[in-house]
Amino acid sequence: ALAAPAIAQSAPEIRWRLSSAFPRTFDTLFGPAELIARQVAAITDNRFQIRVFPAGEIVPPFSTLEAAQNGTVEMTHVPNYYFIGKEPALAFETALPWGMTFRQHNAWYYHGGGQALLRELMREYNVISFLAGNTGAQMGGFFRKELRTVADLQGLKFRIAGLGGQIMARLGATPQQLALGEVYSALERGTIDAAEFVGPYDDERIGLVRVAPFYYYPGFWEGGAALSLNIHLPAWESLPASYKAAIETACAMANADMMAKYDAVNAAALRRLVAQGAQLRAFPREILAEAWKAAHAIYDELARTNAKFARIYESWKVFRDEQFLWFRVAELTYQNFAFTAAQTVR
Amino acid sequence: ALAAPAIAQSAPEIRWRLSSAFPRTFDTLFGPAELIARQVAAITDNRFQIRVFPAGEIVPPFSTLEAAQNGTVEMTHVPNYYFIGKEPALAFETALPWGMTFRQHNAWYYHGGGQALLRELMREYNVISFLAGNTGAQMGGFFRKELRTVADLQGLKFRIAGLGGQIMARLGATPQQLALGEVYSALERGTIDAAEFVGPYDDERIGLVRVAPFYYYPGFWEGGAALSLNIHLPAWESLPASYKAAIETACAMANADMMAKYDAVNAAALRRLVAQGAQLRAFPREILAEAWKAAHAIYDELARTNAKFARIYESWKVFRDEQFLWFRVAELTYQNFAFTAAQTVR
């Protein structure tokens, strides 16, 4: 009888709301929030329940950071680079063009000092964030015409946002901001020339292959785009330690599970897209090289004028460059041989 | 007062023992078991405590499957391909030569039917297993002399175990089984010609670079070696659902965290090894191609004579081949350009 109140106190009944930046229909993007809620409920014997709302039901996608900041909801699940207009350094939460892959970002985040730097940044928004999902390297999108040189990008109307859009602008293209629902008809009518979204599984649903058959890769502006679970800081601090551990563990699971699901479903989706007429094309090397230069020119400019960006960029870039060197050795040599051997070695 | 007994019942005080197959000194290999214990304790307010023992303290490494089977300890953490002598299909728990990468194995395990197939197999050993760690693509080991053709493998005494050893034997080498503590002197004296272990971080500790400077890659027999958490099935079934969820979630975290840690520490270790005189060499393409053929010949033979192997191989191979095709597109093209661009694009 003496022990009972302590137990009850350490496992209070809590109900939270989580606003996702994605609609339910994109199940790979929406799913990790549900997985986090499910695992936390299971772990706590349903004492800590998180209800997940799709984009727009309580909070519009681009207000999710503000909502977590103000405590409109306790949690939001969103790629925090949505908010680089507020603060360019928020890009490090998600992805920078020519940034680290899924594995490398995890290595930096969990074992390279990334988490501490990002949490310091997010604290300014009254938020603690957790790494909670990744898309892997994305596709470059659907184009109406083939690209041969950088000159082919001149004046090209390309639906692409963020830093990827800034790079494309430096290469001569005209980035377009367009709601997802308007992309198909704009591409069909030729109002725009190209549009990118995520990868085969998500791209297939929008049906762009029917109006723009050239399917380019890689989406070098998102070599691995991470999603964040943002938690209103006072809400987080009110939790018992066991519930904090439950969230931390569930986020790590969701981060890995989202990547595993994308890898599983993208493979089959790509096959279907090719059957539907997608013509796979790698971006010409000249475009990749100019994009590499433009990206790093932008980072240098940001680092000169923005101390927050400079602070994280320094850690991120040193880590990335060393990761790139190591991954060229065992991992990349393995992949380059194995991934083609099934077709070529007899 | 009415609610208290129910709470107490659903959160009993439990103490379990976990036997790792690794010594404490190899912290990347030993660490995931400690992480699982730490997270489970934190999540359950220390009501479920798992004590982790290093290799040999209760159970010798190669008796860990038996120990989980008999309930000598409730849990063991081990690469289950240690036990392919009992059953070759256990290799699918860990790695097969020319198998899937870390990401691809996760995709198969969590979203491609792999987990169900492997759990069906492990049930025969009175065990439920969880994916709980991965090394990523390993290095090929240290060689006293350079390799130019398959002929250079003739009679080569190579410390390598398991299916990798069987492949090397078909290519003309003589696989050697040698305890880790004996490898350095055997290589120094020329009793053996080559030895493989894991990757830069672990390999550095054994110091082989001083006696065999040619450091080959990739370790194609382990393109991503997974560790399993084996749990004595009756012990698992006795747990409340919340503790089961805690273990499941903590294992997913450990699986991802081990990979992140390896990626973080291998990069720097490789740099140090090169400074110590390691001469990096890729295996000649001819050796890779012959090894590819030998591996698949072995799998075909096993599938003809072993129904358990055949059942899992069918799922695994179809999934692997589709993953290889998809990863050649966005992911591999991204990596091939990005990983060298930092050195080459100006």
Side-chain angles (χ1 to χ4, degrees):
Chain A
L2 271 173
I7 296 167
Q9 201 167 29
S10 72
E13 298 258 6
I14 296 183
R15 285 170 197 278
W16 274 14
R17 299 191 302 174
L18 186 163
S19 206
S20 169
F22 304 103
R24 217 176 268 284
T25 42
F26 289 103
D27 60 298
T28 39
L29 294 161
F30 184 74
E34 290 189 307
L35 178 65
I36 291 165
R38 194 164 64 242
Q39 294 303 119
V40 168
I43 283 171
T44 63
D45 253 334
N46 292 312
R47 301 185 71 80
F48 185 5
Q49 293 196 31
I50 300 161
R51 186 166 167 203
V52 182
F53 295 88
E57 218 166 88
I58 309 179
V59 179
F62 288 91
S63 302
T64 42
L65 179 56
E66 211 182 324
Q69 184 170 7
N70 299 337
T72 312
V73 292
E74 289 86 0
M75 296 170 140
T76 62
H77 189 234
V78 56
N80 276 335
Y81 71 177
Y82 275 12
F83 312 107
I84 58 169
K86 285 181 200 281
E87 171 51 62
L90 288 169
F92 292 106
E93 280 267 313
T94 309
L96 273 71
W98 295 121
M100 289 183 265
T101 63
F102 169 67
R103 271 175 58 177
Q104 295 165 343
H105 185 73
N106 290 351
W108 177 64
Y109 187 88
Y110 292 120
H111 292 281
Q115 186 184 66
L117 285 165
L118 291 172
R119 289 204 172 157
E120 183 185 303
L121 177 68
M122 296 309 293
R123 185 171 273 276
E124 295 180 29
Y125 298 92
N126 205 24
V127 155
I128 180 170
S129 73
F130 292 79
L131 183 53
N134 201 298
T135 64
Q138 298 191 11
M139 292 292 285
F142 295 94
F143 288 68
R144 287 163 56 98
K145 292 184 185 156
E146 275 193 272
L147 303 171
R148 307 221 174 262
T149 67
V150 173
D152 292 335
L153 293 174
Q154 295 308 308
L156 187 108
K157 298 199 191 82
F158 187 12
R159 191 252 183 194
I160 179 173
L163 287 165
Q166 292 181 34
I167 291 169
M168 280 294 165
R170 293 196 182 201
L171 267 56
T174 311
Q176 306 285 311
Q177 306 269 8
L178 217 62
L180 198 58
E182 298 165 28
V183 173
Y184 185 96
S185 67
L187 210 48
E188 187 175 32
R189 283 182 281 115
T191 314
I192 62 173
D193 304 299
E196 68 92 33
F197 183 43
V198 183
Y201 183 71
D202 296 321
D203 291 359
E204 185 187 18
R205 301 186 180 210
I206 316 174
L208 303 184
V209 65
R210 293 192 294 274
V211 287
F214 299 102
Y215 195 23
Y216 273 89
Y217 61 89
F220 53 80
W221 47 94
E222 283 161 309
L227 301 186
S228 301
L229 187 80
N230 298 322
I231 305 181
H232 183 55
L233 199 52
W236 168 256
E237 284 166 354
S238 75
L239 290 178
S242 59
Y243 287 15
K244 288 181 178 173
I247 289 176
E248 177 192 39
T249 317
C251 284
M253 181 176 187
N255 185 50
D257 187 78
M258 179 177 170
M259 187 72 269
K261 183 168 179 191
Y262 258 123
D263 287 338
V265 297
N266 272 331
L270 182 70
R271 197 169 14 83
R272 290 193 300 271
L273 279 167
V274 169
Q276 289 161 31
Q279 301 203 36
L280 291 174
R281 293 287 185 278
F283 282 119
R285 198 177 166 81
E286 186 198 23
I287 290 179
L288 298 180
E290 290 306 311
W292 177 276
K293 289 184 221 167
H296 292 83
I298 291 171
Y299 306 152
D300 289 343
E301 290 162 27
L302 282 167
R304 273 197 297 275
T305 56
N306 180 328
K308 288 175 200 167
F309 186 94
R311 178 168 158 74
I312 305 180
Y313 184 55
E314 191 185 346
S315 156
W316 182 90
K317 186 167 184 302
V318 168
F319 196 90
R320 181 199 70 169
D321 288 350
E322 188 164 80
Q323 287 287 301
F324 279 8
L325 282 175
W326 156 234
F327 268 79
R328 281 172 69 183
V329 183
E331 201 68 51
L332 195 54
T333 311
Y334 183 83
Q335 295 180 27
N336 274 319
F337 188 88
F339 294 178
T340 56
Q343 269 71 51
T344 56
V345 178
R346 287 289 173 269
Chain B
L2 272 173
I7 295 169
Q9 199 168 30
S10 72
E13 298 259 6
I14 296 182
R15 286 173 196 277
W16 275 14
R17 299 191 302 174
L18 187 163
S19 205
S20 169
F22 304 102
R24 217 176 269 283
T25 42
F26 289 103
D27 60 297
T28 39
L29 293 162
F30 184 75
E34 290 189 307
L35 178 65
I36 291 165
R38 192 164 65 241
Q39 294 303 119
V40 168
I43 283 171
T44 62
D45 251 334
N46 291 313
R47 302 185 70 79
F48 186 4
Q49 292 197 30
I50 300 161
R51 185 165 168 206
V52 181
F53 295 88
E57 217 165 271
I58 310 179
V59 178
F62 287 92
S63 303
T64 42
L65 180 54
E66 212 183 325
Q69 185 171 5
N70 299 337
T72 313
V73 292
E74 289 85 2
M75 296 170 140
T76 63
H77 189 236
V78 54
N80 277 335
Y81 70 176
Y82 274 12
F83 313 106
I84 58 169
K86 285 182 200 280
E87 170 52 63
L90 288 168
F92 292 106
E93 280 266 316
T94 309
L96 275 72
W98 294 121
M100 289 183 265
T101 64
F102 169 67
R103 272 175 57 176
Q104 295 165 343
H105 185 73
N106 290 351
W108 177 64
Y109 187 89
Y110 292 120
H111 293 281
Q115 186 185 64
L117 285 166
L118 292 172
R119 289 204 171 159
E120 184 184 302
L121 177 67
M122 295 309 294
R123 185 172 273 276
E124 296 179 29
Y125 298 92
N126 205 23
V127 154
I128 180 170
S129 73
F130 292 79
L131 183 53
N134 201 299
T135 63
Q138 298 189 10
M139 292 293 283
F142 294 93
F143 288 68
R144 286 163 57 99
K145 293 185 185 156
E146 275 194 274
L147 302 171
R148 306 222 174 261
T149 67
V150 173
D152 292 335
L153 293 174
Q154 295 309 305
L156 187 108
K157 296 199 192 84
F158 185 14
R159 192 254 183 192
I160 179 173
L163 287 164
Q166 292 180 34
I167 292 169
M168 280 294 165
R170 293 197 180 200
L171 267 56
T174 311
Q176 307 284 312
Q177 306 270 9
L178 218 62
L180 198 58
E182 300 165 26
V183 172
Y184 185 95
S185 67
L187 209 49
E188 189 176 32
R189 283 183 281 118
T191 314
I192 63 172
D193 305 300
E196 67 92 33
F197 184 43
V198 183
Y201 183 70
D202 297 320
D203 292 358
E204 186 187 19
R205 301 186 180 209
I206 316 176
L208 303 185
V209 65
R210 293 192 294 273
V211 287
F214 298 103
Y215 195 25
Y216 272 89
Y217 61 89
F220 52 80
W221 48 93
E222 283 161 309
L227 301 186
S228 300
L229 187 79
N230 298 323
I231 305 181
H232 183 55
L233 199 52
W236 169 256
E237 284 166 354
S238 75
L239 290 178
S242 59
Y243 287 14
K244 289 181 178 174
I247 289 176
E248 177 192 39
T249 316
C251 284
M253 181 176 187
N255 186 50
D257 186 78
M258 180 177 170
M259 188 72 269
K261 184 168 177 192
Y262 258 123
D263 287 338
V265 298
N266 271 330
L270 182 70
R271 196 168 16 80
R272 290 192 302 269
L273 278 167
V274 169
Q276 289 160 30
Q279 302 203 35
L280 290 174
R281 294 287 185 278
F283 282 119
R285 197 176 169 80
E286 187 199 22
I287 289 178
L288 298 180
E290 290 305 312
W292 176 276
K293 289 186 221 167
H296 292 82
I298 290 170
Y299 306 151
D300 288 343
E301 290 160 26
L302 283 167
R304 273 197 298 275
T305 56
N306 180 328
K308 288 175 200 167
F309 187 94
R311 180 169 157 74
I312 305 179
Y313 184 54
E314 191 185 346
S315 156
W316 182 91
K317 186 167 184 301
V318 168
F319 196 90
R320 181 199 71 169
D321 289 351
E322 188 164 83
Q323 287 287 302
F324 280 7
L325 281 174
W326 156 234
F327 268 80
R328 282 172 68 182
V329 181
E331 200 69 50
L332 195 53
T333 311
Y334 183 82
Q335 295 180 26
N336 274 319
F337 187 88
F339 294 177
T340 55
Q343 270 71 49
T344 57
V345 177
R346 288 285 172 273

